[in-house]
Each structure stands twice: as structure tokens, then as C-alpha cells.
Amino acid sequence: MSAPIRIKGLHSCLKTTYLSLKRHVHRSCCCYNQSDVTSQDGRKKTFHITTPIFYVNAAPHIGHLYTALLADVAARWQRLKGRDVLFSTGTDEHGLKIQQAAEKHAASPKDYCDKVSAQFKDLFDQSGISYDEFIRTTDTRHNAAVDKFWETLQRRGYIYKGGYEGWYSVSDEAFLTEDEVQDGVTSDGQHAKVSISSGQPVTWTKEENYMFRLTAFQQQLTSWLDSKAIRPSQFEPMVRSWVDDLRDLSISRQRERLTWGIPVPGDETQTVYVWLDALVNYLTVAGYPQCVQPRCWPPQCQIIGKDILRFHAVYWPAFLFAADMAPPRTLLCHSHWTVEGHKMSKSRGNVVDPLERLGRFTADGLRYFLLREGSLGSDGNYSDARAVERINSDLVNSIGNLLSRTTAPSVNKAQEFPPLESDAELAAFFTDVDVKMYRSLQTLAEQADEHYGNYAFSRVIDLALGHIHWANAMVQNHQPWALVKLDDASSEKHLKSVLHVAMETLRVCGILLQPMIPQLTDRLLTRLGVSEEERCISDVCDSGNECARPLGNKVTLLGRIQTGKS
């Protein structure tokens, strides 16, 4: 009995070597543009992507998670393509609002920031956010970066001492013009001036501080906007209206009013404006001021919510121009989440706790729902009932059902991912439509790459689910549970062909969906016997399945989510 075992082992070894060589050759002609990954000198390009750093005046909500998810999916896709990635997120911890929040909670500002920042980090870790850097503006390295950046702007003549008089919104940490405030009523029923955009009260501020020559950068800002840097384009007209009406910007506050912040270099009586401080975080994670590698700057994409568009689309590029640095190539702006059609608010009691939903829906379930239902250009509507419906329908009933049908021991007695022995089997057992759908699996990586590159993640889901639904219908039509009972060679070939086509659909779609539902697709691909080394984008076009592939251990991709709050 030893000879057959040695032969089998030798065959397996030779097969592994062959497939390894084949994949190595194949990756030199991948299913996407190789110039996206490597530069002309052969070095890997670094894909630098950021979220905003999140303000720690309150616990994280579903909108914060959505922002981080968008960046995470883009970063994971680029890694699957073979690129080096620098993905940063973190927390913004200075400013008057933080100072007041800490006082309200009878805590020191540092202790308060430590607590809330840890909540953000915990949420992101539990949600599978694959950040490379989690920056805090209370980090020593960031303080050094802000000092250097301020000194650079001052040395280049873009900072001057002046007087500021006008409205200031503590809630928004923003200076507002007369056109941006109106008479309103505060939450406690008092009549007061409020910000038109946020509805939060504003106070009249008059003080001597430092000003930034924002008006010097109108032309450069306009040219940057002409490069189509703002996406989606629907947000661009608003930015242009701000650029057309620039005014020099106050970039410090008197320290007697704001003690919780970075002192202005050389002037202990002033505190650096929280937004200048915060925006520099993107430079800090790139190595500033010691060394900013050209491969890491400028960022390919910076993702923000629409409420902080002005700060990132006007102030931030202007600061960079003043420091003689390049602005981000793309500023991706997304809309907000409502709940049952209403804006989330504590007074309404409809703020969605993402940590609680992770416990109910799992990380991949919540990720999937937000990415499936979210939209860049319009507000998304969060609904627990809709989340349950989506997760059960798409992940459990569609993907999970197809895997169960093709790997069940009653149908797949050999517990293998069978190969397609010849194209003749396709013609013999499948319709022209089925053959066309099967062949189109080879083009899915290219289509998915385009959608991922456009941050149209729901379109990738549509692409994959379209094939999953087709494969489920195909299995239903061919009834492998009946074929397995027929004792003839033709039926056996028919059965193996059906299993192969369905499993190949799962394999390809599983690879393409990895950035969005990484844990579920890991279980899926493991069950199909696909090793971790065979899950890159280039592997979509090469299954390495010339021989039968043993299946992995039986798994449950995702249990059905119940409608109750259990």
C-alpha cells in the first residue's frame, strides 16, 4: 500500500509546484493595469488613504463607522492588488468643545480624551478596520509636526498678527460670517444666534490672534478644483462658492479662553486653532516633519463627511499650498445617515450604537449592510429591520445557501472542488446563457477594479450577487441532489460540472468581496479549499483547479439574524 501513497504524494507535490509557477507567471499579466501597482522604476506604489480624525466630544456613532469602512474597503482592495498601503485614522482631541465636555464629565481633558479615543479604537478593531496608523492629536510626535508646520507657514509669510471679530461656533469649532448665522432657538428654549448649517448656538468673539492669508490662494484652489479633486462632483459647486468668497482665517485663540490645545510656537498667550492642529495629522502619519516620502505624499484619497467639507476642501489645500506641498489627489465626500428618515439626535433618542449592532449583526453583517445601503451622494437611511432583511437575504440565503448546496456530503460525496475536465462539458450540460455567465467570471476582476477605483462599492456587490443568484438558479435547474443518485458516467460528469461551475462562482465572488466582508469570505474560501496564497486579485483569472481540490472543514458562514433584540 506504500507505493500508491508515495505516488499520490509526489503528484500533490508536483501539482503544488506547477500551480505556484503558473500563478507567478500569471501575476505578471494580471486582470488589472499593473501600472496601478508599480512605478516605472519597478518599485511598489504606496496608496495613502485617510479618514478624518474623529472628534472625541462624544462616543462614536454609525456615521463614524461608515467613514472608516469606506477607507478600509479601498485600502483592502489595494492590498489585494499588491500595493503597499498607508491607511490612517484616529481621534481629534483638542479644542474648546473638548475642554467643556471634560468639565461636564468632571474629568481632566487628557483622561476624558483617553476614554473616548479608546472607544473609537475599540469600535474600529471589532469592525475589522485595517488601519496602519491610529493617530491622536495628543501624541507627542503630532505636537512636533504642528510646531514645524506653523513655523513653516510663518516663515513663508502667510501668518500675521491681527484682530478677529465675528461669530464663533464652539460646536462646529468654526468661525462664521454674518451670512452663515441666523436667529434661532437653542435646545433649552433660549432665543439666540445659531449656525445655519448645524443649528448650534454661536457666540460673538472679539480678540487679537493670528491670521492666515487664505485670500492668497484663490487661484491655486480653483486650479485644484479644476482637476476634479472633489468627488462626487455634486459637492464641487458649493466648494467653488466658498473659494469665490475667501477671507483671511483666524488660526489661533487666546490661551486664557482655550487652554486645551497646542500653544502657538513662540507665543504662549495663544493656542493653535483646532482645525489647523487637526489637519496636520495627515502629515504626521506620513512622517512629517522628519521625512515625508514622495511615495506617501500626497494622499491618493482622503475620505470625509459632508459636514467637514469646507475645512478639507478650502482650508486644508490652502495650508498645503502655503507650505509648498501638494494637496490630496481626491477628496471623497459622503453624505450622512438618518434613522427611519430622521436625523440622529440624542433628544430624539435614535442614535444608533454601532458596538451594540456589532453584537447583534456580527462585524461582517453590519459592514455589509452599511456598504450595501450607504451612498456618497445622498443620505442613507438606517433601519434595523432593513439590516436584518439585507443580511439574511444576501449573505445567508444567497451566498450561504449556494455553499451549502454544493458542499453537502449528500451531494458532494468526495468533499472536493472538482475541476472542469473540458470545455465540451459546458456545451453538453449547460445552456448558452449559462456558458456565457460562467465565462464572464474571467472579466469580473476588471469590472470590480473599476468600481472599487470609483468607490462605488455597492456596484461590486451588485456584480457579485448577480452571479451568485444565477448560480443558485442554475443549481436548482440541474438538481445535483438527483444527479448523485444516478449510477452512470454521464450523470457523474454532469454532477461534477454543476458543482465546479457553482463553486467557481463562489470562489471568484469570494475573492472580490474580501474587502467588504473579510471574515465571511475567509470562511467561504477556506471551505472551498482555497489557500491564503490564492486569494489575490490575479487569482481570479486562474483557479489553479486543474485537479480536484479537497474541501476545507465544514463551516457556517453566518447564522440567520433574528428580528428581535436578542
Side-chain angles (χ1 to χ4, degrees):
M1 295 296 291
S2 59
I5 294 175
R6 286 198 298 270
I7 292 172
K8 184 178 180 181
L10 177 61
H11 174 267
S12 176
C13 180
L14 290 173
K15 179 191 171 188
T16 301
T17 303
Y18 163 72
L19 293 179
S20 177
L21 289 171
K22 182 177 179 183
R23 281 192 295 274
H24 177 76
V25 172
H26 179 76
R27 285 192 173 111
S28 67
C29 51
C30 299
C31 309
Y32 53 86
N33 189 349
Q34 192 70 14
S35 64
D36 287 347
V37 178
T38 56
S39 56
Q40 291 183 347
D41 62 5
R43 298 179 67 188
K44 279 189 178 182
K45 293 181 179 179
T46 296
F47 183 80
H48 184 183
I49 187 168
T50 74
T51 71
I53 50 175
F54 301 102
Y55 213 38
V56 297
N57 63 304
H61 56 65
I62 209 77
H64 297 128
L65 177 58
Y66 180 65
T67 307
L69 275 177
L70 292 176
D72 180 60
V73 171
R76 286 176 179 270
W77 178 255
Q78 293 299 327
R79 293 190 191 106
L80 286 175
K81 289 177 67 173
R83 291 183 76 168
D84 289 334
V85 171
L86 174 57
F87 166 23
S88 69
T89 189
T91 47
D92 180 4
E93 303 178 22
H94 289 139
L96 188 57
K97 188 159 56 172
I98 303 299
Q99 184 174 303
Q100 294 176 348
E103 292 172 358
K104 182 179 179 180
H105 288 81
S108 70
K110 184 63 168 65
D111 288 345
Y112 177 79
C113 289
D114 288 345
K115 178 182 177 180
V116 181
S117 179
Q119 292 176 349
F120 277 92
K121 195 171 187 297
D122 184 43
L123 171 63
F124 293 166
D125 289 343
Q126 289 193 43
S127 303
I129 305 302
S130 61
Y131 56 83
D132 300 291
E133 290 272 1
F134 190 96
I135 180 73
R136 298 179 58 184
T137 54
T138 50
D139 290 345
T140 302
R141 61 171 176 157
H142 178 67
N143 197 322
V146 172
D147 285 352
K148 180 64 175 180
F149 194 76
W150 179 283
E151 291 165 357
T152 298
L153 299 191
Q154 194 167 47
R155 175 173 47 80
R156 292 173 61 84
Y158 294 111
I159 293 177
Y160 63 94
K161 196 74 174 285
Y164 173 78
E165 185 174 0
W167 297 106
Y168 187 77
S169 169
V170 175
S171 177
D172 303 327
E173 296 284 11
F175 300 96
L176 305 176
T177 67
E178 286 286 352
D179 295 335
E180 295 172 321
V181 300
Q182 64 183 8
D183 293 326
V185 180
T186 63
S187 58
D188 58 1
Q190 299 295 315
H191 291 274
K193 289 287 186 181
V194 299
S195 164
I196 293 175
S197 63
S198 68
Q200 297 298 319
V202 298
T203 56
W204 186 260
T205 300
K206 182 178 181 180
E207 59 185 37
E208 185 180 49
N209 48 32
Y210 289 91
M211 306 292 290
F212 172 70
R213 299 186 190 278
L214 184 62
T215 51
F217 299 98
Q218 187 173 61
Q219 183 56 53
Q220 285 173 280
L221 288 169
T222 300
S223 297
W224 179 65
L225 293 175
D226 289 343
S227 71
K228 306 301 180 185
I230 307 295
R231 298 173 64 177
S233 60
Q234 70 187 63
F235 293 109
E236 185 182 312
M238 184 185 303
V239 178
R240 288 188 182 274
S241 70
W242 293 330
V243 171
D244 289 341
D245 188 30
L246 293 179
R247 303 177 188 186
D248 284 356
L249 176 68
S250 173
I251 55 170
S252 74
R253 301 297 310 275
Q254 289 180 355
R255 196 151 185 83
E256 63 184 25
R257 297 189 183 188
L258 175 59
T259 59
W260 184 240
I262 298 175
V264 167
D267 188 347
E268 293 289 332
T269 69
Q270 296 278 318
T271 299
V272 176
Y273 177 41
V274 63
W275 270 104
L276 174 58
D277 166 2
L279 290 165
V280 172
N281 94 86
Y282 305 125
L283 288 170
T284 305
V285 298
Y288 184 88
Q290 285 77 18
C291 179
V292 177
Q293 295 289 337
R295 292 185 302 131
C296 297
W297 198 267
Q300 274 70 25
C301 181
Q302 299 202 258
I303 299 179
I304 61 168
K306 64 182 181 181
D307 55 320
I308 54 175
L309 180 59
R310 183 199 294 262
F311 305 100
H312 284 80
V314 179
Y315 302 164
W316 175 226
F319 290 154
L320 289 170
F321 290 139
D324 196 26
M325 300 186 75
R329 292 195 174 96
T330 297
L331 190 62
L332 188 73
C333 184
H334 69 78
S335 297
H336 292 163
W337 281 88
T338 61
V339 178
E340 306 291 358
H342 297 286
K343 183 178 179 180
M344 281 189 287
S345 68
K346 291 182 180 179
S347 60
R348 189 180 288 273
N350 66 344
V351 176
V352 179
D353 179 357
L355 279 170
E356 191 274 337
R357 294 320 192 273
L358 285 174
R360 290 170 58 184
F361 302 145
T362 74
D364 274 18
L366 185 57
R367 286 172 67 104
Y368 180 81
F369 172 73
L370 293 176
L371 293 165
R372 187 75 176 86
E373 297 287 314
S375 171
L376 296 179
S378 58
D379 289 346
N381 185 38
Y382 182 88
S383 161
D384 282 336
R386 183 62 173 160
V388 170
E389 178 186 350
R390 271 293 185 195
I391 294 167
N392 286 338
S393 173
D394 296 354
L395 301 185
V396 179
N397 295 348
S398 296
I399 299 177
N401 183 54
L402 185 59
L403 181 66
S404 296
R405 283 175 141 188
T406 54
T407 60
S410 60
V411 170
N412 192 331
K413 293 183 177 181
Q415 287 295 282
E416 65 182 21
F417 184 162
L420 188 69
E421 293 184 0
S422 70
D423 286 349
E425 295 178 12
L426 291 175
F429 302 122
F430 299 96
T431 66
D432 290 344
V433 172
D434 286 340
V435 173
K436 183 178 180 180
M437 286 294 288
Y438 174 75
R439 297 291 190 205
S440 69
L441 291 172
Q442 296 293 303
T443 68
L444 290 194
E446 184 176 355
Q447 295 177 64
D449 188 40
E450 180 179 356
H451 294 322
Y452 274 118
N454 289 326
Y455 306 94
F457 303 145
S458 64
R459 291 191 179 183
V460 180
I461 293 175
D462 289 338
L463 192 68
L465 278 184
H467 280 74
I468 295 292
H469 291 154
W470 157 74
N472 267 309
M474 181 274 298
V475 169
Q476 184 65 35
N477 290 335
H478 287 263
Q479 299 186 347
W481 49 88
L483 290 172
V484 74
K485 298 176 182 179
L486 301 178
D487 189 18
D488 62 88
S490 177
S491 296
E492 183 178 356
K493 285 186 176 182
H494 188 175
L495 173 62
K496 288 185 176 180
S497 298
V498 171
L499 294 179
H500 170 84
V501 170
M503 288 181 169
E504 181 65 0
T505 302
L506 283 169
R507 185 190 71 85
V508 169
C509 293
I511 289 174
L512 298 181
L513 291 175
Q514 286 178 99
M516 288 184 273
I517 43 176
Q519 294 180 33
L520 186 146
T521 51
D522 175 59
R523 292 192 291 271
L524 169 67
L525 295 170
T526 298
R527 177 60 170 144
L528 293 174
V530 180
S531 70
E532 293 183 6
E533 292 74 27
E534 301 172 288
R535 301 178 184 183
C536 294
I537 305 310
S538 56
D539 292 306
V540 168
C541 303
D542 175 21
S543 67
N545 198 205
E546 287 77 9
C547 300
R549 184 197 300 269
L551 297 182
N553 294 331
K554 183 179 179 180
V555 296
T556 298
L557 290 187
L558 185 67
R560 180 172 296 278
I561 306 298
Q562 302 302 315
T563 56
K565 293 187 177 182
S566 57

Coordinates of all heavy atoms in Angstrom, one line a residue, residues 152-213:
T152 N 6.7 76.9 9.5 CA 6.9 77.0 8.0 C 6.0 78.0 7.4 O 6.4 78.8 6.6 CB 6.7 75.6 7.4 OG1 7.6 74.7 7.9 CG2 6.8 75.7 5.9
L153 N 4.7 78.0 7.8 CA 3.8 79.0 7.2 C 4.2 80.4 7.6 O 4.1 81.4 6.9 CB 2.4 78.7 7.7 CG 1.7 77.3 7.4 CD1 0.2 77.3 7.7 CD2 1.9 77.0 5.9
Q154 N 4.7 80.5 8.9 CA 5.1 81.9 9.4 C 6.3 82.4 8.6 O 6.4 83.5 8.2 CB 5.3 81.8 10.9 CG 5.4 83.1 11.6 CD 5.3 83.0 13.1 OE1 6.0 82.2 13.6 NE2 4.5 83.8 13.7
R155 N 7.3 81.5 8.4 CA 8.5 81.8 7.7 C 8.2 82.2 6.3 O 8.9 83.1 5.7 CB 9.5 80.7 7.8 CG 10.8 80.9 7.0 CD 11.7 79.8 7.2 NE 11.1 78.4 7.2 CZ 10.9 77.8 6.0 NH1 11.2 78.4 4.9 NH2 10.3 76.6 6.0
R156 N 7.2 81.6 5.7 CA 6.9 81.9 4.3 C 6.0 83.1 4.1 O 5.6 83.4 3.0 CB 6.3 80.7 3.6 CG 7.3 79.5 3.5 CD 6.7 78.2 3.0 NE 6.0 78.4 1.7 CZ 6.7 78.3 0.5 NH1 8.0 78.1 0.5 NH2 6.0 78.5 -0.6
G157 N 5.6 83.7 5.2 CA 4.9 85.0 5.2 C 3.4 84.9 5.1 O 2.7 85.8 4.8
Y158 N 2.8 83.7 5.5 CA 1.4 83.5 5.4 C 0.7 83.6 6.7 O -0.6 83.4 6.8 CB 1.1 82.2 4.7 CG 1.5 82.1 3.3 CD1 2.6 81.3 2.9 CD2 0.9 82.9 2.3 CE1 3.0 81.3 1.6 CE2 1.4 82.9 1.0 CZ 2.4 82.1 0.6 OH 2.9 82.1 -0.7
I159 N 1.4 83.9 7.8 CA 0.7 84.1 9.1 C 1.1 85.5 9.6 O 2.2 86.0 9.5 CB 1.2 83.1 10.1 CG1 0.7 81.7 9.7 CG2 0.8 83.5 11.5 CD1 1.2 80.6 10.7
Y160 N 0.1 86.3 10.0 CA 0.3 87.6 10.6 C -0.5 87.8 11.8 O -1.6 87.2 12.0 CB 0.1 88.7 9.5 CG -1.4 88.8 9.1 CD1 -2.3 89.7 9.6 CD2 -1.8 88.0 8.0 CE1 -3.6 89.8 9.2 CE2 -3.1 88.1 7.5 CZ -4.0 88.9 8.1 OH -5.3 89.0 7.7
K161 N -0.1 88.7 12.7 CA -0.9 89.0 13.9 C -2.0 90.0 13.5 O -1.7 91.0 12.8 CB 0.1 89.6 14.9 CG -0.5 89.7 16.3 CD -0.5 88.3 17.0 CE -0.9 88.3 18.4 NZ 0.1 88.8 19.3
G162 N -3.2 89.8 14.0 CA -4.3 90.7 13.6 C -5.4 90.5 14.6 O -5.3 89.8 15.6
G163 N -6.5 91.2 14.3 CA -7.7 91.1 15.2 C -8.8 90.4 14.5 O -9.0 90.6 13.3
Y164 N -9.5 89.6 15.3 CA -10.6 88.9 14.8 C -11.9 89.3 15.5 O -11.9 89.4 16.7 CB -10.5 87.3 14.8 CG -11.8 86.6 14.4 CD1 -12.1 86.5 13.1 CD2 -12.7 86.2 15.4 CE1 -13.3 85.8 12.7 CE2 -13.8 85.5 15.0 CZ -14.1 85.4 13.7 OH -15.3 84.8 13.3
E165 N -12.9 89.6 14.8 CA -14.2 89.9 15.4 C -15.3 89.3 14.6 O -15.4 89.5 13.3 CB -14.4 91.4 15.4 CG -15.7 91.9 16.1 CD -15.8 93.4 16.3 OE1 -14.8 94.1 15.8 OE2 -16.8 93.9 16.9
G166 N -16.1 88.4 15.2 CA -17.2 87.7 14.5 C -17.8 86.6 15.3 O -17.5 86.5 16.5
W167 N -18.6 85.8 14.6 CA -19.3 84.7 15.3 C -18.4 83.5 15.3 O -17.7 83.2 14.3 CB -20.6 84.4 14.5 CG -21.6 85.5 14.5 CD1 -21.9 86.3 13.5 CD2 -22.3 85.9 15.6 NE1 -22.8 87.2 13.8 CE2 -23.1 87.0 15.2 CE3 -22.5 85.5 17.0 CZ2 -24.0 87.7 16.0 CZ3 -23.3 86.2 17.8 CH2 -24.1 87.3 17.3
Y168 N -18.5 82.8 16.4 CA -17.7 81.5 16.6 C -18.7 80.4 17.1 O -19.4 80.7 18.1 CB -16.5 81.7 17.5 CG -15.6 80.4 17.5 CD1 -14.8 80.2 16.5 CD2 -15.7 79.5 18.6 CE1 -13.9 79.1 16.5 CE2 -14.9 78.4 18.6 CZ -14.0 78.2 17.6 OH -13.2 77.0 17.6
S169 N -18.6 79.3 16.4 CA -19.4 78.1 16.9 C -18.5 77.2 17.6 O -17.7 76.5 17.0 CB -20.1 77.4 15.7 OG -20.7 76.2 16.0
V170 N -18.8 77.0 18.9 CA -18.0 76.1 19.7 C -18.3 74.6 19.2 O -17.4 73.8 19.1 CB -18.3 76.2 21.2 CG1 -17.6 75.1 22.0 CG2 -17.9 77.6 21.7
S171 N -19.5 74.4 18.9 CA -19.9 73.0 18.5 C -19.2 72.6 17.2 O -18.7 71.5 17.1 CB -21.4 72.9 18.3 OG -21.8 71.7 17.8
D172 N -19.2 73.5 16.3 CA -18.5 73.2 15.0 C -17.0 73.6 15.0 O -16.3 73.2 14.0 CB -19.2 74.1 13.9 CG -20.7 73.8 13.7 OD1 -21.1 72.7 14.0 OD2 -21.4 74.8 13.4
E173 N -16.5 74.2 16.0 CA -15.2 74.7 16.1 C -14.9 75.5 14.8 O -13.9 75.3 14.1 CB -14.2 73.6 16.3 CG -14.3 72.8 17.6 CD -13.7 73.6 18.8 OE1 -13.4 74.8 18.7 OE2 -13.6 73.0 19.9
A174 N -15.8 76.4 14.5 CA -15.7 77.1 13.2 C -16.0 78.6 13.4 O -16.9 79.0 14.2 CB -16.6 76.5 12.2
F175 N -15.3 79.5 12.6 CA -15.6 80.9 12.6 C -16.6 81.1 11.4 O -16.5 80.5 10.3 CB -14.3 81.7 12.2 CG -13.2 81.5 13.3 CD1 -12.2 80.6 13.1 CD2 -13.2 82.3 14.4 CE1 -11.2 80.5 14.1 CE2 -12.2 82.2 15.4 CZ -11.2 81.2 15.2
L176 N -17.6 81.9 11.7 CA -18.7 82.0 10.7 C -18.9 83.5 10.4 O -18.7 84.4 11.2 CB -20.0 81.4 11.3 CG -20.0 80.0 11.8 CD1 -21.3 79.6 12.5 CD2 -19.7 79.0 10.7
T177 N -19.4 83.7 9.2 CA -19.8 85.0 8.7 C -21.2 85.4 9.1 O -22.0 84.5 9.5 CB -19.6 85.1 7.2 OG1 -20.6 84.3 6.5 CG2 -18.2 84.7 6.8
E178 N -21.6 86.6 8.9 CA -23.0 87.0 9.1 C -24.0 86.2 8.3 O -25.1 85.9 8.7 CB -23.1 88.5 8.8 CG -22.5 89.4 9.9 CD -23.3 89.5 11.2 OE1 -24.4 88.9 11.2 OE2 -22.8 90.1 12.1
D179 N -23.5 85.8 7.1 CA -24.4 85.1 6.2 C -24.6 83.6 6.6 O -25.5 82.9 6.1 CB -23.8 85.1 4.8 CG -23.8 86.5 4.1 OD1 -24.7 87.3 4.6 OD2 -23.0 86.7 3.2
E180 N -23.8 83.2 7.6 CA -23.8 81.8 8.0 C -24.5 81.6 9.3 O -24.5 80.5 9.9 CB -22.4 81.2 8.1 CG -21.7 81.2 6.7 CD -20.3 80.8 6.8 OE1 -19.6 81.3 7.7 OE2 -19.8 80.0 5.9
V181 N -25.1 82.7 9.9 CA -25.8 82.6 11.1 C -27.2 83.2 11.0 O -27.5 83.9 10.0 CB -25.1 83.3 12.3 CG1 -23.7 82.7 12.5 CG2 -25.0 84.8 12.0
Q182 N -28.1 82.8 11.9 CA -29.5 83.3 11.8 C -30.1 83.3 13.2 O -29.5 82.7 14.1 CB -30.4 82.4 10.9 CG -30.5 81.0 11.4 CD -31.3 80.1 10.5 OE1 -31.7 80.5 9.4 NE2 -31.6 78.9 10.9
D183 N -31.2 83.9 13.4 CA -31.9 83.9 14.7 C -32.5 82.5 14.9 O -33.1 82.0 13.9 CB -32.9 85.0 14.8 CG -32.4 86.4 14.8 OD1 -31.3 86.5 15.4 OD2 -33.0 87.3 14.2
G184 N -32.4 82.0 16.1 CA -32.9 80.6 16.3 C -33.2 80.4 17.8 O -33.1 81.3 18.6
V185 N -33.5 79.2 18.1 CA -33.9 78.8 19.5 C -33.0 77.6 19.8 O -32.9 76.6 19.1 CB -35.3 78.4 19.6 CG1 -35.6 77.9 21.0 CG2 -36.3 79.5 19.2
T186 N -32.3 77.7 21.0 CA -31.4 76.7 21.4 C -32.2 75.5 22.0 O -33.4 75.6 22.2 CB -30.4 77.2 22.5 OG1 -31.1 77.7 23.6 CG2 -29.6 78.4 21.9
S187 N -31.5 74.4 22.4 CA -32.2 73.2 22.9 C -32.9 73.5 24.2 O -33.8 72.8 24.6 CB -31.1 72.1 23.1 OG -30.1 72.5 23.9
D188 N -32.4 74.5 24.9 CA -33.1 74.8 26.2 C -34.1 75.9 26.1 O -34.6 76.5 27.1 CB -32.0 75.2 27.3 CG -31.2 76.4 26.9 OD1 -31.4 77.0 25.7 OD2 -30.3 76.8 27.6
G189 N -34.5 76.2 24.8 CA -35.6 77.2 24.6 C -35.2 78.6 24.5 O -36.1 79.5 24.4
Q190 N -33.9 78.9 24.6 CA -33.5 80.3 24.6 C -33.3 80.8 23.1 O -32.9 80.1 22.3 CB -32.1 80.4 25.3 CG -32.1 80.0 26.8 CD -33.0 80.9 27.6 OE1 -32.9 82.2 27.5 NE2 -33.8 80.3 28.4
H191 N -33.7 82.1 22.9 CA -33.5 82.7 21.6 C -32.1 83.2 21.5 O -31.5 83.8 22.4 CB -34.5 83.9 21.4 CG -35.9 83.5 21.3 ND1 -36.5 83.1 20.1 CD2 -36.9 83.3 22.3 CE1 -37.8 82.8 20.3 NE2 -38.0 82.9 21.6
A192 N -31.4 82.8 20.4 CA -30.0 83.1 20.2 C -29.7 83.0 18.7 O -30.4 82.5 17.9 CB -29.2 82.2 21.1
K193 N -28.5 83.5 18.4 CA -27.9 83.3 17.1 C -27.4 81.9 17.0 O -26.8 81.4 17.9 CB -26.8 84.3 16.8 CG -27.2 85.7 16.7 CD -27.9 86.0 15.3 CE -28.1 87.5 15.1 NZ -28.8 87.7 13.8
V194 N -27.7 81.3 15.8 CA -27.3 79.9 15.7 C -26.7 79.7 14.3 O -26.9 80.5 13.4 CB -28.5 78.9 15.8 CG1 -29.1 78.9 17.2 CG2 -29.5 79.1 14.7
S195 N -25.9 78.7 14.1 CA -25.3 78.4 12.8 C -26.4 77.8 11.9 O -27.2 77.0 12.3 CB -24.2 77.3 13.0 OG -23.8 76.7 11.8
I196 N -26.4 78.3 10.7 CA -27.4 77.9 9.7 C -27.2 76.4 9.4 O -28.2 75.6 9.3 CB -27.4 78.8 8.5 CG1 -27.9 80.2 8.8 CG2 -28.3 78.2 7.4 CD1 -27.8 81.1 7.6
S197 N -26.0 76.0 9.2 CA -25.7 74.6 8.8 C -25.9 73.6 9.9 O -26.4 72.5 9.6 CB -24.2 74.5 8.3 OG -23.3 74.8 9.4
S198 N -25.6 73.9 11.1 CA -25.7 72.9 12.2 C -26.8 73.2 13.2 O -27.2 72.3 13.9 CB -24.4 72.8 12.9 OG -24.1 74.0 13.7
G199 N -27.3 74.4 13.2 CA -28.3 74.8 14.2 C -27.8 75.0 15.6 O -28.6 75.3 16.5
Q200 N -26.5 74.9 15.7 CA -25.9 75.1 17.1 C -25.6 76.6 17.4 O -25.4 77.4 16.5 CB -24.5 74.4 17.1 CG -24.6 72.8 16.9 CD -25.5 72.2 18.0 OE1 -25.3 72.6 19.2 NE2 -26.3 71.3 17.7
P201 N -25.7 77.0 18.7 CA -25.6 78.4 19.0 C -24.1 78.9 18.7 O -23.2 78.1 18.8 CB -25.8 78.4 20.5 CG -25.6 77.0 21.0 CD -26.0 76.1 19.8
V202 N -24.1 80.2 18.5 CA -22.8 80.8 18.2 C -22.6 82.0 19.2 O -23.6 82.5 19.8 CB -22.7 81.3 16.8 CG1 -22.8 80.2 15.8 CG2 -23.8 82.4 16.5
T203 N -21.4 82.4 19.4 CA -21.1 83.5 20.3 C -20.3 84.5 19.5 O -19.4 84.2 18.7 CB -20.3 83.0 21.5 OG1 -19.1 82.3 21.1 CG2 -21.1 82.1 22.4
W204 N -20.5 85.8 19.9 CA -19.7 86.9 19.3 C -18.3 86.9 19.9 O -18.2 87.0 21.1 CB -20.4 88.2 19.4 CG -19.7 89.3 18.7 CD1 -18.9 90.2 19.2 CD2 -19.8 89.6 17.3 NE1 -18.4 91.1 18.2 CE2 -19.0 90.7 17.0 CE3 -20.5 89.0 16.2 CZ2 -18.8 91.2 15.7 CZ3 -20.3 89.5 15.0 CH2 -19.5 90.6 14.7
T205 N -17.3 86.8 19.1 CA -15.9 86.8 19.6 C -15.1 88.0 19.1 O -15.2 88.2 17.9 CB -15.3 85.5 19.2 OG1 -16.0 84.4 19.7 CG2 -13.8 85.4 19.7
K206 N -14.4 88.6 19.9 CA -13.5 89.7 19.5 C -12.2 89.5 20.3 O -12.2 89.6 21.5 CB -14.2 91.1 19.9 CG -13.3 92.2 19.4 CD -14.0 93.6 19.7 CE -13.2 94.7 19.2 NZ -13.8 96.1 19.5
E207 N -11.2 89.3 19.6 CA -9.9 89.1 20.2 C -8.7 89.2 19.2 O -8.9 89.2 18.0 CB -9.8 87.7 20.8 CG -10.0 86.5 19.8 CD -10.0 85.2 20.5 OE1 -10.6 85.1 21.6 OE2 -9.5 84.2 19.9
E208 N -7.6 89.5 19.8 CA -6.4 89.6 18.9 C -5.8 88.2 18.8 O -5.6 87.5 19.8 CB -5.3 90.5 19.6 CG -4.1 90.7 18.7 CD -3.1 91.7 19.3 OE1 -2.8 91.5 20.5 OE2 -2.6 92.6 18.6
N209 N -5.5 87.7 17.6 CA -4.9 86.4 17.4 C -4.1 86.4 16.1 O -3.9 87.5 15.5 CB -5.9 85.3 17.5 CG -7.2 85.6 16.6 OD1 -7.1 86.3 15.6 ND2 -8.3 85.1 17.1
Y210 N -3.8 85.2 15.6 CA -3.0 85.1 14.4 C -3.9 84.8 13.2 O -4.9 84.0 13.4 CB -1.9 84.0 14.5 CG -0.8 84.4 15.4 CD1 -0.8 84.2 16.8 CD2 0.3 85.1 14.9 CE1 0.2 84.5 17.6 CE2 1.3 85.5 15.8 CZ 1.3 85.2 17.1 OH 2.3 85.6 17.9
M211 N -3.6 85.4 12.1 CA -4.5 85.2 10.9 C -3.6 84.5 9.8 O -2.4 84.7 9.7 CB -4.9 86.6 10.4 CG -5.7 87.4 11.4 SD -7.3 86.7 11.9 CE -8.2 87.0 10.4
F212 N -4.3 83.7 9.0 CA -3.7 83.1 7.8 C -4.2 83.7 6.6 O -5.4 84.0 6.4 CB -4.1 81.6 7.8 CG -3.7 80.8 6.6 CD1 -2.3 80.6 6.4 CD2 -4.6 80.4 5.7 CE1 -1.9 79.9 5.2 CE2 -4.2 79.7 4.5 CZ -2.9 79.5 4.3
R213 N -3.3 84.0 5.6 CA -3.6 84.7 4.4 C -4.3 83.7 3.4 O -3.8 83.4 2.3 CB -2.3 85.3 3.7 CG -1.6 86.3 4.6 CD -0.5 86.9 3.9 NE 0.4 87.7 4.8 CZ 0.1 88.9 5.2 NH1 -1.0 89.6 4.8 NH2 0.9 89.6 6.1

